[in-house]
């Protein structure tokens, strides 16, 4: 048994023994944990674990304390190989909800269904059945972003995809990495996306690590585009020359300063994510969870 599993087992026993005496307190804590703005987890962090044991991994996420998750990998009507109804039941049984999910553009994999370019309407219907409030374009592959005109075309596509989402009560958005802040033909692609998309139809999920990695200040982005950033990825940067991914609260990103501007940003949901972990991912997300509790989210 690894340390985190052992810790979870011990906590479960203690909780069971003390439940009768602490019921009023637990009720208050549960209410706080279920608050919409309590940080969730982007499941991509656990992609390897989910592939080996979906049910067991989801249960461990809940045991750590997370109350919501952000999906990834939807394809051909399935969430991790399960129908929307089956996956919704799995989340509900573990006290979890999924307010958001990541999706691909589809140009790089034209035969894949469930992308913005292929069978998008079905993807939106399935997201609505699951109860998602947001659908986010997660990433543009290198072959999909060779010119500034590519970004302009995608801005138009995002507006259209967002209209489909809106009809089902879902908000569309875009998740950044660092490359969107690198000039292409004398312009910054991220600015092009912001300028050429309808601010009501297309919101942004700001990845705080990649924004900082690119040398940009999230707070300035919020001031320049108020209300445009309802979703954030909480991801820290190691205090090393390579600036690796790190557990929230262990690196160089000043989350407290950024969070002071959450109203300007329009923050609704935030998700812990760690693309690469130097320790077992479940242990990493547990550390991030504990440190996130200290932040005013």
């Amino acid at each position: 048994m690894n340390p985190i599993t052992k810790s979870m087992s011990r906590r479960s026993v203690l909780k069971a023994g003390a439940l009768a005496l602490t019921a009023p307190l637990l009720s208050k804590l549960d209410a706080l944990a279920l608050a919409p703005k309590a940080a969730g987890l982007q499941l991509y962090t656990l992609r390897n674990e989910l592939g080996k044991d979906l049910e067991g991994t989801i249960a461990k996420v809940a045991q750590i304390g997370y109350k919501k998750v952000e999906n990834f990998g939807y394809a051909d009507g399935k969430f991790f190989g399960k129908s929307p109804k089956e996956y919704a039941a799995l989340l509900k049984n573990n006290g979890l909800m999924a307010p958001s999910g990541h999706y691909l553009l589809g140009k790089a994999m034209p035969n894949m269904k469930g992308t913005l370019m292929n069978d998008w309407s079905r993807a939106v219907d399935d997201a609505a059945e699951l109860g998602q409030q947001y659908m986010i374009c997660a990433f543009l592959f290198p072959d999909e972003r060779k010119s500034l005109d590519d970004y302009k075309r995608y801005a138009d596509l995002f507006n259209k995809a967002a209209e489909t989402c809106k009809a089902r009560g879902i908000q569309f958005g875009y998740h950044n990495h660092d490359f969107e802040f690198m000039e292409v033909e004398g312009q910054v692609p991220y600015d092009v996306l912001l300028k050429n998309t309808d601010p009501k139809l297309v919101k942004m999920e700001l990845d705080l690590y990649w924004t900082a990695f690119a040398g940009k200040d999230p707070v300035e982005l919020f001031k320049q585009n108020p209300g445009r950033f309802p979703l954030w990825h909480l991801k820290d940067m190691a205090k090393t020359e390579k600036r690796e991914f790190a557990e929230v609260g262990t690196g160089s990103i000043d989350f407290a300063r950024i969070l002071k501007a959450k109203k300007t940003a329009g923050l609704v949901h935030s998700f812990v994510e760690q693309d690469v972990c130097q320790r077992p991912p479940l242990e990493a997300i547990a550390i991030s969870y504990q440190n996130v509790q200290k932040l005013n989210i």
Side-chain angles (χ1 to χ4, degrees), residues 50 53-59 71-94 103 122 126-127 129-130 132:
L50 290 165
D53 180 8
L54 174 63
E55 288 79 4
T57 301
I58 291 295
N71 301 314
F72 77 97
Y74 169 88
D76 199 18
K78 301 287 186 179
F79 295 91
F80 305 109
K82 292 187 176 292
S83 69
K85 183 177 181 179
E86 292 170 336
Y87 183 55
L90 173 61
L91 293 179
K92 183 177 180 181
N93 290 341
N94 285 281
Y103 298 82
R122 181 185 180 188
D126 287 344
E129 183 177 352
L130 185 62
Q132 281 185 199

Side-chain angles (χ1 to χ4, degrees), residues 31-82:
L32 288 173
L34 286 169
K37 294 185 180 180
L41 175 71
Q42 164 51 256
L43 289 173
Y44 182 76
T45 309
L46 302 176
R47 55 197 178 278
N48 294 326
E49 290 74 15
L50 290 165
K52 296 174 183 177
D53 180 8
L54 174 63
E55 288 79 4
T57 301
I58 291 295
K60 290 174 182 176
V61 169
Q63 288 167 6
I64 288 171
Y66 290 99
K67 297 296 182 182
K68 58 188 176 184
V69 296
E70 184 174 49
N71 301 314
F72 77 97
Y74 169 88
D76 199 18
K78 301 287 186 179
F79 295 91
F80 305 109
K82 292 187 176 292

Side-chain angles (χ1 to χ4, degrees), residues 192-210:
V192 171
L193 291 176
L194 283 167
K195 180 180 178 181
N196 291 281
T197 52
D198 186 325
K200 293 182 179 179
L201 289 174
V202 180
K203 301 296 185 181
M204 297 293 182
E205 178 174 55
L206 198 70
D207 189 301
L208 299 183
Y209 171 92
W210 284 119

Side-chain angles (χ1 to χ4, degrees), residues 5 39 51-52 85-86 91 96 108 115 126 134 163 174 186 193 196 201 235 237 241 246 254 257 275 297:
T5 305
K52 296 174 183 177
K85 183 177 181 179
E86 292 170 336
L91 293 179
L96 293 167
T115 67
D126 287 344
Y134 294 86
E163 288 281 9
Y174 180 78
L193 291 176
N196 291 281
L201 289 174
K235 185 188 307 181
M237 182 185 296
E241 184 178 350
D254 189 348
R257 171 183 172 272
D275 301 33
I297 298 179

Side-chain angles (χ1 to χ4, degrees), residues 13-288:
V13 172
L14 292 173
K15 182 178 178 180
L19 185 58
L21 296 175
T22 60
L25 175 61
L26 285 174
S27 295
K28 292 180 181 180
L29 291 177
D30 287 343
L32 288 173
L34 286 169
K37 294 185 180 180
L41 175 71
Q42 164 51 256
L43 289 173
Y44 182 76
T45 309
L46 302 176
R47 55 197 178 278
N48 294 326
E49 290 74 15
L50 290 165
K52 296 174 183 177
D53 180 8
L54 174 63
E55 288 79 4
T57 301
I58 291 295
K60 290 174 182 176
V61 169
Q63 288 167 6
I64 288 171
Y66 290 99
K67 297 296 182 182
K68 58 188 176 184
V69 296
E70 184 174 49
N71 301 314
F72 77 97
Y74 169 88
D76 199 18
K78 301 287 186 179
F79 295 91
F80 305 109
K82 292 187 176 292
S83 69
K85 183 177 181 179
E86 292 170 336
Y87 183 55
L90 173 61
L91 293 179
K92 183 177 180 181
N93 290 341
N94 285 281
L96 293 167
M97 62 177 183
S100 180
H102 275 196
Y103 298 82
L104 295 176
L105 182 78
K107 183 178 179 181
M109 59 286 295
N111 295 323
M112 178 181 174
K113 292 186 176 182
T115 67
L116 273 74
M117 291 184 165
N118 190 348
D119 210 14
W120 182 241
S121 293
R122 181 185 180 188
V124 174
D125 288 342
D126 287 344
E129 183 177 352
L130 185 62
Q132 281 185 199
Q133 302 161 5
Y134 294 86
M135 296 181 75
I136 307 298
C137 181
F139 179 71
L140 298 176
F141 290 93
D143 286 346
E144 295 176 330
R145 45 181 166 89
K146 293 182 177 181
S147 70
L148 200 63
D149 282 341
D150 286 334
Y151 286 98
K152 291 178 180 178
R153 283 192 292 269
Y154 299 151
D156 290 337
L157 176 62
F158 291 169
N159 283 327
K160 293 176 182 177
E163 288 281 9
T164 305
C165 289
K166 182 181 178 181
R168 294 304 309 269
I170 295 174
Q171 176 70 62
F172 181 82
Y174 180 78
H175 166 268
N176 69 281
H177 290 75
D178 62 333
F179 57 79
E180 296 92 343
F181 296 104
M182 300 176 185
E183 283 195 3
V184 175
E185 301 168 26
Q187 296 188 51
V188 176
Y190 200 72
D191 292 342
V192 171
L193 291 176
L194 283 167
K195 180 180 178 181
N196 291 281
T197 52
D198 186 325
K200 293 182 179 179
L201 289 174
V202 180
K203 301 296 185 181
M204 297 293 182
E205 178 174 55
L206 198 70
D207 189 301
L208 299 183
Y209 171 92
W210 284 119
T211 303
F213 193 89
K216 300 298 180 180
D217 182 1
V219 176
E220 286 304 312
L221 285 173
F222 301 155
K223 291 178 180 178
Q224 294 164 10
N225 306 276
R228 199 81 191 265
F229 301 89
L231 304 182
W232 298 0
H233 272 185
L234 303 180
K235 185 188 307 181
D236 218 336
M237 182 185 296
K239 300 175 182 178
T240 65
E241 184 178 350
K242 293 183 178 180
R243 300 186 293 170
E244 302 96 337
F245 303 105
E247 291 74 28
V248 175
T250 67
S252 62
I253 294 179
D254 189 348
F255 292 103
R257 171 183 172 272
I258 297 170
L259 279 162
K260 288 180 181 178
K262 64 183 180 182
K263 290 185 178 179
T264 302
L267 179 63
V268 178
H269 295 290
S270 59
F271 301 95
V272 167
E273 185 186 32
Q274 192 168 337
D275 301 33
V276 179
C277 303
Q278 303 302 316
R279 50 171 49 89
L282 283 164
E283 183 179 339
I285 66 168
I287 293 171
S288 288

